[in-house]
Amino acid sequence: MPDANENKGLFRRFLDMPNDSVTKTVIVAVTLCLVASMVVSAAAVSLRPVQQANALRDKQSNVLQVAGVYDPDVTVAEAFEAMEPHVVDLSTGEFTDQFDIDTFDELAAKGDPAIIRALDEDPAGLGGAMQAYRMVYILRTEDGGIDKVILPIEGYGLWSTLYGFIALEENGNDIYGLQFYQHGETPGLGAEVDNPRWKALWNGKKLRDEDGDLQITVAKAPPPAGQDYYIDALAGATLTSRGVHNLVRFWMGEQGYGPFLERLKAGEI
């Protein structure tokens, strides 16, 4: 006599299996995993443009904040139109038209060996190499002169790489502000780099002395050059403070924006 199961379809035979069947349990688990992974993947792909737009808006917002022109009543996109972006060749300090400023991403450029250069010294903890080109932003006065320049900076603290911006006055030496927009430092300690009171300490400080020597210092005590070059280190966050000290001095030095700042000081920007 023929087996009744032979006349049933595959799906029907699956449903008729006992619920405690090992085969049925495995099939259900694998199916659920596959469906869930497809849903998650589809969501990630569909939301990627939104995530990228949000990341760009957050970055632009930080540029506006460090430059002191952020207005909550004005959309970030509208306010950012006042910013003049340029890609700078760090080796010469000159602007380059080698890249499209609308699509250039200095962080993504880390994966492009064509524009990466090795570092003889790496005090900022950049992994021994850095991008040879960076995006900078210029804020101009109503008459077309330079009001401020905003420079992206990065470097390692205690637990993470800190990404941020430093805003300089038109002379390229006086600091207007410093702000980090991404890091993973310890809450209540190293994460105090986000504290408005600590960030306010940077306003009005100077990078270099009258002889052109880089003097800006983050430490527990003022440097011999004096208070004009001194930011008090974060309490209980020695290594994060040292990381900020190192990364700021690196990016303001010859391996960083030094050539660009020299051109700015000479009125060539």
Side-chain angles (χ1 to χ4, degrees):
M1 183 176 181
D3 189 340
N5 284 333
E6 293 181 358
N7 296 322
K8 297 180 180 179
L10 183 62
F11 183 67
R12 182 71 259 175
R13 278 182 284 168
F14 168 74
L15 293 178
D16 289 343
M17 287 182 181
N19 288 335
D20 58 356
S21 166
V22 174
T23 301
K24 189 172 185 178
T25 300
V26 171
I27 292 174
V28 170
V30 170
T31 301
L32 286 175
C33 289
L34 288 174
V35 171
S37 64
M38 287 189 291
V39 170
V40 170
S41 298
V45 171
S46 63
L47 292 175
R48 187 172 300 154
V50 176
Q51 294 170 338
Q52 292 173 337
N54 288 339
L56 176 61
R57 183 163 55 250
D58 180 66
K59 183 177 178 180
Q60 292 176 340
S61 175
N62 276 273
V63 171
L64 295 172
Q65 290 176 44
V66 77
V69 294
Y70 177 77
D71 185 346
D73 296 326
V74 179
T75 66
V76 171
E78 182 180 352
F80 200 76
E81 291 179 0
M83 290 294 169
E84 184 181 299
H86 295 276
V87 178
V88 171
D89 182 340
L90 295 181
S91 63
T92 64
E94 298 178 345
F95 296 146
T96 176
D97 58 3
Q98 183 178 343
F99 307 96
D100 182 350
I101 60 173
D102 293 327
T103 59
F104 182 76
D105 184 342
E106 61 261 11
L107 297 184
K110 286 184 176 180
D112 186 351
I115 61 173
I116 295 296
R117 71 183 189 193
L119 295 171
D120 295 330
E121 298 181 2
D122 185 17
L126 301 177
M130 63 179 288
Q131 307 95 312
Y133 303 88
R134 295 299 297 240
M135 180 83 80
V136 304
Y137 305 89
I138 294 177
L139 180 64
R140 295 193 179 273
T141 59
E142 292 184 358
D143 62 3
I146 292 179
D147 182 6
K148 298 179 183 70
V149 294
I150 298 89
L151 312 174
I153 55 176
E154 65 189 81
Y156 208 79
L158 172 60
W159 303 112
S160 68
T161 298
L162 296 92
Y163 298 93
F165 297 98
I166 187 168
L168 304 177
E169 301 287 2
E170 77 285 350
N171 60 14
N173 193 52
D174 295 346
I175 300 173
Y176 180 80
L178 176 137
Q179 183 152 323
F180 293 104
Y181 63 90
Q182 181 180 326
H183 65 80
E185 298 302 286
T186 307
L189 296 173
E192 288 296 289
V193 291
D194 293 329
N195 190 314
R197 289 178 296 177
W198 191 75
K199 291 189 292 185
L201 298 178
W202 291 81
N203 184 265
K205 300 300 182 180
K206 300 180 183 295
L207 296 176
R208 299 177 183 273
D209 60 21
E210 294 181 354
D211 294 328
D213 295 326
L214 190 62
Q215 299 287 0
I216 188 68
T217 301
V218 181
K220 287 297 184 183
Q227 291 284 345
D228 285 345
Y229 311 93
Y230 170 62
I231 293 91
D232 190 18
L234 293 164
T238 301
L239 294 181
T240 299
S241 298
R242 186 179 302 162
V244 175
H245 169 86
N246 289 337
L247 75 88
V248 169
R249 288 180 63 92
F250 171 83
W251 285 106
M252 299 302 104
E254 293 307 307
Q255 290 193 97
Y257 297 107
F260 170 75
L261 296 178
E262 285 295 322
R263 292 177 59 82
L264 180 65
K265 181 179 178 181
E268 300 174 0
I269 300 299

